[in-house]
Amino acid sequence: MAVIDLLELPALLAPYAPIVGLDLGEKTIGVAVSDATRTVASPLELIRKVKFTDDAAALFKLMESRGAAGIVIGLPINMDGTEGPRCQSSRAFGRNLLRLKDIPIAFWDERMSSMAVNRVLIDEADVTRARRADLVDKMAAAWILQGALERLRSAA
C-alpha cells in the first residue's frame, strides 16, 4: 500500500478500527490513538527512538494492542507552506513503515501543534517544564490526530 490522501483513509479501514497519530521528534515519537468511532484522539505513549526497526516494532505492538488499523503522521510544514528536511524525514519514516507492514498511512499538517500544546500545558494546566518534556510529544500527536479526525468528519 502507498501513502494515501487523508480522505481515502476511512474507506481502507474496517468499521470501528481506531487510527493512531504520530508526532515524530528527533529523539521521541509521540503516539496518540482515536476511539473506535474516530471522534476523539487521546495521547497514548512516548516511544524513545533507538533504531528504526525497534521503533517500528514498538509502534506496531501499540497498534495491535489497541486494534488500530491506520496511521496519521504529522507533517512539519514550514510556516510559508514549503517542505523542508523535517518533512522529508517524516515522509521517509512513513515509506519505511510501509516496507515492514502493509498499512494505510496518511499525513496531516502539524504546523504549530507543539507550540499549541505547550501553551495549553503552561497556561491552563500549570505543568512544570520537566513534566512538559514528557507530555508534549504524545499530546502533540493527539493534537495532530484530532485535527485529522475533524477533517474526516467534515468531509463525510
Side-chain angles (χ1 to χ4, degrees):
M1 185 169 292
V3 171
I4 58 167
D5 182 87
L6 178 68
L7 297 179
E8 297 171 16
L9 188 59
L12 299 172
L13 303 176
Y16 303 106
I19 301 170
V20 296
L22 305 180
D23 178 50
L24 304 176
E26 289 181 29
K27 297 178 183 176
T28 61
I29 301 169
V31 183
V33 66
S34 75
D35 62 330
T37 63
R38 302 180 196 139
T39 305
V40 178
S42 300
L44 182 60
E45 193 156 317
L46 190 65
I47 298 172
R48 302 229 181 258
K49 286 185 174 180
V50 182
K51 65 179 188 175
F52 178 77
T53 51
D54 294 340
D55 303 342
L59 173 62
F60 293 146
K61 184 177 178 182
L62 277 174
M63 290 180 69
E64 186 178 311
S65 73
R66 296 295 181 130
I71 300 173
V72 173
I73 299 174
L75 197 60
I77 297 171
N78 295 325
M79 292 307 292
D80 65 2
T82 61
E83 293 190 13
R86 289 188 58 226
C87 280
Q88 293 170 2
S89 176
S90 295
R91 290 188 185 281
F93 186 89
R95 285 190 306 272
N96 290 336
L97 285 177
L98 288 172
R99 290 188 183 117
L100 299 176
K101 191 169 191 163
D102 188 26
I103 189 165
I105 296 175
F107 291 98
W108 182 252
D109 183 350
E110 71 160 67
R111 276 182 272 195
M112 309 295 280
S113 61
S114 293
M115 189 172 79
V117 166
N118 267 308
R119 183 63 35 222
V120 168
L121 291 173
I122 292 167
D123 292 348
E124 296 178 24
D126 196 27
V127 177
T128 66
R129 182 181 303 265
R131 181 76 176 116
R132 277 196 317 269
D134 289 338
L135 292 174
V136 74
D137 288 336
K138 62 184 174 183
M139 287 187 69
W143 186 280
I144 291 162
L145 182 56
Q146 188 65 49
L149 294 174
E150 289 171 11
R151 174 65 180 110
L152 291 173
R153 197 167 33 261
S154 73

